[in-house]
């Protein structure tokens, strides 16, 4: 997934508009996929690479705002660029409060759309990289033994080896061995780096 190409999904019931947007984006080397309705989009497999939506607000059946709510409810974090021919203030406010990155009214400048798409793809790329990094960190943590996890919690709470040994009833030398092993498994070179990892994993430090 890390090497997948970015793509822009265009959802609009106007085929001529979809084609014009696709031509514009493909002219700068972006992959596009077109959908005529919200159900068509929901029935398709999501792309693997960075993605953003160019989404019409008003369509027959479910609207673009409906889709925005559906994606939020499903925790699908996809950047959305709304397009409309009939904007009103409450509609635009609702879209932006829902997390849309842009709200463009037809006719709009090509460059405005390209800038919004570039912003959306950059955001989604950052999100995917963050999720991959978290998954790798979690996998390393799951390689730890139960004792190593316990000692890690004491370490990030700032406890010294001697204190940890006294807390859990081990020899100090045994704690040192476990500490060396867990630092290696977590690929943490320093104490602050291990603390940052624990914070990312939302680990709650042991309190003496």
């Amino acid at each position: 997934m890390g090497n997948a190409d970015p793509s822009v999904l265009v959802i609009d019931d106007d085929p001529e508009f979809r084609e014009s947007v696709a031509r514009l984006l493909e002219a700068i080397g972006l992959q596009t996929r077109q959908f005529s309705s919200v159900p068509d989009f929901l029935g398709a497999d999501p792309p693997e690479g960075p993605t953003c939506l160019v989404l019409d607000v008003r369509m027959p059946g479910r609207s673009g705002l409906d889709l925005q709510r559906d994606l939020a409810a499903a925790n699908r974090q996809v950047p959305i660029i709304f397009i409309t021919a009939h904007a009103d203030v409450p509609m635009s406010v609702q879209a932006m409060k829902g997390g849309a990155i842009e709200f463009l009214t037809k006719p709009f400048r090509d460059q405005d759309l390209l800038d919004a798409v570039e912003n959306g793809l950059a955001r989604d790329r950052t999100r995917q990289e963050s999720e991959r990094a978290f998954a790798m960190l979690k996998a390393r943590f799951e390689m730890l033994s139960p004792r190593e996890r316990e000692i890690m919690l004491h370490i990030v709470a700032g406890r010294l080896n001697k204190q940890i040994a006294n807390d859990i009833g081990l020899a100090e030398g045994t704690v040192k061995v476990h500490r060396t092993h867990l630092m290696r498994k977590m690929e943490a070179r320093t104490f602050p780096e291990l603390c940052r990892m624990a914070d990312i994993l939302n680990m709650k430090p042991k309190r003496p």
Side-chain angles (χ1 to χ4, degrees), residues 95-122:
M96 300 307 284
K97 281 186 175 181
I101 62 173
E102 188 58 270
F103 194 96
L104 299 176
T105 303
K106 301 175 185 177
F108 50 82
R109 295 189 316 129
D110 288 351
Q111 192 59 50
D112 289 340
L113 177 60
L114 294 176
D115 290 345
V117 165
E118 181 180 0
N119 181 23
L121 292 175

Side-chain angles (χ1 to χ4, degrees), residues 174-201:
T174 303
V175 172
K176 288 180 180 179
V177 171
H178 283 306
R179 183 174 188 143
T180 298
H181 288 170
L182 75 88
M183 292 288 285
R184 175 179 52 79
K185 290 180 181 179
M186 292 300 294
E187 300 180 17
R189 292 164 294 182
T190 64
F191 168 69
E193 189 173 3
L194 187 70
C195 289
R196 286 194 295 272
M197 292 177 178
D199 186 55
I200 292 170
L201 291 167

